[in-house]
Amino acid sequence: FFFLMIRRPPRSTQSRSSAASDVYKRQIQKCLKFMGKPQLEALLDAITEHLETFILSKEATQVINQIFTLHPHEKRLRQLLSHFNMDAPQPTAENLKKLLDPKRVDNIALKIVNKGTFDSPFGQALVRKAMRKMVPQERELVLDAIVEQIHQLPRTKPGALLCMDVVHFTDAKRRKTILKAVKGHVIETLQAAGVFGVALFLKIAKTVDDTVAVSKSVLTELLERGEDTLKDPYAQQLILGIFDDKEPLVREYFADAPSEKTSKKSDDQRRQELIANLSPGLLGLFNQSLTAELLGDMTICKMLYAVIKENIGNENATSDVVTLLQNILEATRKDFNEKINATRNVEELAEKLLVANQSTHRLVKGIVKLLGGTDIARNEQLSEFFESLFMFVDQNIGILAQTRAAFIILAFIEENTSYRDQIIQSLKTGLRNLPMNKPGLSLLQPYLQE
């Protein structure tokens, strides 16, 4: 009940951050008066576990104060006070109230910095909040203290978020120190901090101008893990974030980033340089490790599309790109032949075929659109691959048109590829006696009238 009231704002509230929070506070404080010790203990458990989140909200700290006024549990008070990384006062509700006063937050943060201990998630969150409000001279002193211990920080959510701000506010010299500190610990950090570790390394990639150093310190370690990197969800998100600024993770964790620019290069220049450094190793890794199992994974298909899209016009990468395209086609063709020999039931095939898989058909459709919108006539290797892909689709059009692979056929037509007329003629022949009420067939029906 307590958490439902926190998460759901009143429908009548115009702002979800101001009036809503006041309503929550009043509702929760009213409920506290009717709670027994077990319920208050349960709330304290949650608060202690997520203190770094609660402590940054004025309304939440007032609720904490009221809990201890109603239930002055000395042991709990001592536990909370110990999070301040400083000499704790006597464990009383009044002393806790003084420490939680928003006016004292900056002073507490500075004491944490002066003491030089950043191992507490609570302290990390406080320092991050205070650092954003400091004048440059104060912030420089804080940055010096933090950078010396930067390798200890990114293993928790608040620590990773603090590191992101440190990367943003600090200078090029300190950024090199940070890169040296994280080198060799990328996978360890991703496993410990999860998506917050991903966000940290994306912040480094989007801020540090020395992209060669970023590649050596961060990206090389990813590629050296081989196939394990392709299957690691956090490594996947990191690679996708470098290729695509529109990835949800990038939008979510950079929404409240400081607005002032602290790098000399443009975001697009830095991104292109990182992609150029990452692409050869990633293309090689995919060409060594690609299997039907990997092709069935949505995130891996996104990674494949990203690296193909960025390199399809790169003459130096053409050979690797074509090899990868051929490997994708060969895996789908082999799977198709195996499944078609096992059963001719189209409904069953629609569920089992790799080329009709929810992720794979989107990848192949994307490849058709990329090649259809590119002048590939001058590139013999790409032209030969596109012809091979067309022949696979054309020869099996009667079955593919009844599955999600119908979108691949549609791409051949809508992109006005050189095979458009042949595809339409094959559709008319292959679908002549089939009912048009199936989803895939209904998509293609308008072209049967041409």
Side-chain angles (χ1 to χ4, degrees), residues 148-212:
E148 290 179 3
Q149 302 187 46
I150 198 76
H151 63 284
Q152 300 175 3
L153 295 179
R155 296 172 189 175
T156 64
K157 169 186 171 181
L161 293 176
L162 174 59
C163 285
M164 288 173 65
D165 275 15
V166 171
V167 170
H168 180 87
F169 286 118
T170 197
D171 57 19
K173 183 178 180 181
R174 291 199 195 97
R175 285 172 182 165
K176 287 186 177 181
T177 302
I178 292 171
L179 286 175
K180 289 179 182 178
V182 300
K183 187 175 183 179
H185 301 285
V186 176
I187 302 303
E188 175 189 341
T189 301
L190 291 176
Q191 292 173 345
V195 293
F196 302 102
V198 177
L200 167 60
F201 290 120
L202 286 177
K203 180 64 178 178
I204 290 174
K206 294 173 184 299
T207 307
V208 179
D209 286 331
D210 189 347
T211 52
V212 174

Side-chain angles (χ1 to χ4, degrees), residues 81-136:
L81 290 169
S82 68
H83 282 281
F84 284 89
N85 272 342
M86 53 189 290
D87 295 331
Q90 289 299 313
T92 65
E94 185 61 29
N95 279 333
L96 181 65
K97 184 176 181 180
K98 290 178 181 178
L99 286 173
L100 295 183
D101 183 346
K103 296 178 182 178
R104 290 179 56 88
V105 167
D106 292 355
N107 291 333
I108 296 169
L110 288 173
K111 287 185 178 180
I112 293 172
V113 170
N114 292 333
K115 194 171 180 180
T117 53
F118 302 96
D119 55 341
S120 163
F122 168 71
Q124 293 162 357
L126 275 186
V127 172
R128 178 174 180 248
K129 181 180 180 183
M131 191 168 64
R132 289 192 172 196
K133 299 188 295 180
M134 290 176 178
V135 297

Side-chain angles (χ1 to χ4, degrees), residues 267-333:
D267 292 343
D268 187 61
Q269 180 185 356
R270 198 182 305 105
R271 173 180 169 273
Q272 290 299 331
E273 289 177 2
L274 284 172
I275 288 175
N277 293 335
L278 175 60
S279 290
L282 190 59
L283 284 167
L285 182 55
F286 272 127
N287 280 327
Q288 291 174 5
S289 309
L290 193 65
T291 61
E293 179 188 356
L294 292 179
L295 271 175
D297 184 284
M298 177 69 77
T299 308
I300 289 178
C301 283
K302 285 184 178 181
M303 292 166 61
L304 283 164
Y305 180 76
V307 72
I308 291 170
K309 179 182 177 182
E310 291 292 338
N311 290 277
I312 203 163
N314 181 358
E315 292 183 1
N316 296 326
T318 297
S319 179
D320 287 337
V321 170
V322 171
T323 300
L324 181 55
L325 291 170
Q326 290 171 340
N327 288 338
I328 292 170
L329 176 58
E330 184 57 34
T332 54
R333 182 189 286 143

Side-chain angles (χ1 to χ4, degrees), residues 225-367:
R225 293 182 71 217
E227 190 175 338
D228 288 342
T229 288
L230 300 181
K231 295 180 179 180
D232 186 315
Y234 301 122
Q236 291 174 348
Q237 291 180 58
L238 176 52
I239 291 171
L240 275 178
I242 290 172
F243 276 100
D244 188 0
D245 283 340
K246 296 178 181 178
E247 274 297 299
L249 182 75
V250 178
R251 294 199 303 268
E252 181 178 356
Y253 291 104
F254 288 81
D256 71 334
S259 57
E260 63 267 38
K261 185 174 176 61
T262 58
S263 303
K264 295 180 180 179
K265 291 181 180 177
S266 68
D267 292 343
D268 187 61
Q269 180 185 356
R270 198 182 305 105
R271 173 180 169 273
Q272 290 299 331
E273 289 177 2
L274 284 172
I275 288 175
N277 293 335
L278 175 60
S279 290
L282 190 59
L283 284 167
L285 182 55
F286 272 127
N287 280 327
Q288 291 174 5
S289 309
L290 193 65
T291 61
E293 179 188 356
L294 292 179
L295 271 175
D297 184 284
M298 177 69 77
T299 308
I300 289 178
C301 283
K302 285 184 178 181
M303 292 166 61
L304 283 164
Y305 180 76
V307 72
I308 291 170
K309 179 182 177 182
E310 291 292 338
N311 290 277
I312 203 163
N314 181 358
E315 292 183 1
N316 296 326
T318 297
S319 179
D320 287 337
V321 170
V322 171
T323 300
L324 181 55
L325 291 170
Q326 290 171 340
N327 288 338
I328 292 170
L329 176 58
E330 184 57 34
T332 54
R333 182 189 286 143
K334 181 180 178 181
D335 174 84
F336 183 89
N337 291 334
E338 289 176 354
K339 302 287 173 57
I340 201 74
N341 289 333
T343 179
R344 287 279 172 176
N345 184 295
V346 176
E347 285 75 16
E348 189 176 341
L349 285 170
E351 297 298 323
K352 292 184 176 181
L353 284 177
L354 179 63
V355 74
N357 178 283
Q358 189 172 6
S359 53
T360 312
H361 89 272
R362 291 180 180 176
L363 171 63
V364 178
K365 178 187 71 175
I367 290 171

